[in-house]
Amino acid sequence: NENLTLLGTQYTNGMKVNLYSDTILFVGYNNIFIEVRDSITETIVNDALIQITPMMDMGSMQHSSPYDNPSSSNAVNGKFPCDVVLIMPSTAGNWTLDVYVHNHINNADGDVLFPLTVTNPALPTLKSKIVNGVTYFISMVEPSKPIVGVNDLMLKVNKRVDMMNFPNDSAYTYTVFPWMPSMGHSSPNNVNPVYTTKGMYDGDVNFTMTGDWRVTMH
């Protein structure tokens, strides 16, 4: 939590709601954290129901994106971890994050809205793929900081049902194929990602030397 960035603060019904992230928000998979405090005493609320809804307003249309609410009503180190896959940058419209809070301590509830600024990363970590007329979003969660050697490979897969619903998907298998274009070779000891939970697939990818690598999923 020491390295988190405060993205904004909103107040509702005696509660102070802080939104944090572990990096600037970008197109792809983002970890975010909700902190709830008593607005008067600043006491941290560790028992609450948190529900988030990301929204993109493009003027002529609105849509949501993939996200996961906290898995528990118990805070972790004083904050409620969530995740959101932001599928386009802020240059395309206006992102907001609606946060609903029900404080289990005093039964207060409230709703706040955070404006978000979403950038394009230097290297893309989100791809979309249409299969049988259905759009899937594949996010590369790890490696977030690739090293030479075997890296944990973690993918998150979401299916677009409509413009408001992007549930986690577990229906597919994936083969990982790393390639180094400048040298014309792949690498050994890769492990194809397999489904674990909440749209996540875990495997390994091996980068045998420094330089530009391209990871293809089949």
Side-chain angles (χ1 to χ4, degrees):
N1 280 356
E2 295 80 6
N3 298 321
L4 297 182
T5 299
L6 177 64
L7 299 180
T9 301
Q10 303 286 348
Y11 294 86
T12 177
N13 200 11
M15 294 178 287
K16 177 182 179 181
V17 184
N18 292 320
L19 174 64
Y20 291 88
S21 68
D22 56 3
T23 182
I24 60 171
L25 298 179
F26 60 91
V27 175
Y29 176 90
N30 294 261
N31 291 303
I32 58 174
F33 304 85
I34 309 298
E35 181 185 68
V36 182
R37 293 177 179 263
D38 184 290
S39 61
I40 304 299
T41 66
E42 287 283 328
T43 302
I44 291 180
V45 176
N46 282 303
D47 185 4
L49 170 68
I50 306 290
Q51 295 177 328
I52 65 171
T53 307
M55 285 297 298
M56 161 60 88
D57 185 351
M58 302 180 71
S60 59
M61 64 173 292
Q62 294 182 328
H63 63 80
S64 186
S65 66
Y67 65 90
D68 289 299
N69 287 310
S71 56
S72 167
S73 61
N74 298 315
V76 179
N77 297 322
K79 295 178 177 64
F80 297 89
C82 320
D83 63 72
V84 57
V85 177
L86 298 163
I87 58 178
M88 58 179 59
S90 290
T91 51
N94 296 312
W95 278 107
T96 55
L97 183 74
D98 182 272
V99 180
Y100 168 79
V101 181
H102 179 84
N103 184 343
H104 288 155
I105 307 301
N106 61 7
N107 275 332
D109 62 357
D111 206 274
V112 294
L113 194 66
F114 291 94
L116 305 179
T117 299
V118 181
T119 63
N120 267 319
L123 298 174
T125 61
L126 175 69
K127 296 290 184 180
S128 61
K129 179 76 172 178
I130 299 176
V131 180
N132 297 326
V134 177
T135 299
Y136 293 83
F137 292 92
I138 300 95
S139 308
M140 188 170 72
V141 180
E142 296 292 347
S144 55
K145 297 178 181 178
I147 60 170
V148 173
V150 177
N151 293 255
D152 181 32
L153 176 65
M154 184 180 295
L155 305 174
K156 182 175 175 65
V157 183
N158 292 89
K159 174 183 179 179
R160 184 169 69 192
V161 174
D162 54 42
M163 299 308 282
M164 289 300 298
N165 294 286
F166 299 75
N168 296 321
D169 191 82
S170 61
Y172 288 88
T173 58
Y174 297 89
T175 300
V176 57
F177 181 72
W179 182 256
M180 193 173 197
S182 63
M183 302 296 288
H185 65 71
S186 183
S187 65
N189 304 320
N190 299 286
V191 177
N192 292 330
V194 295
Y195 180 74
T196 55
T197 184
K198 294 173 69 173
M200 292 290 194
Y201 293 73
D202 281 352
D204 292 326
V205 60
N206 185 20
F207 303 128
T208 54
M209 60 189 298
T210 59
D212 292 333
W213 285 84
R214 184 174 298 159
V215 179
T216 303
M217 307 302 303
H218 298 288

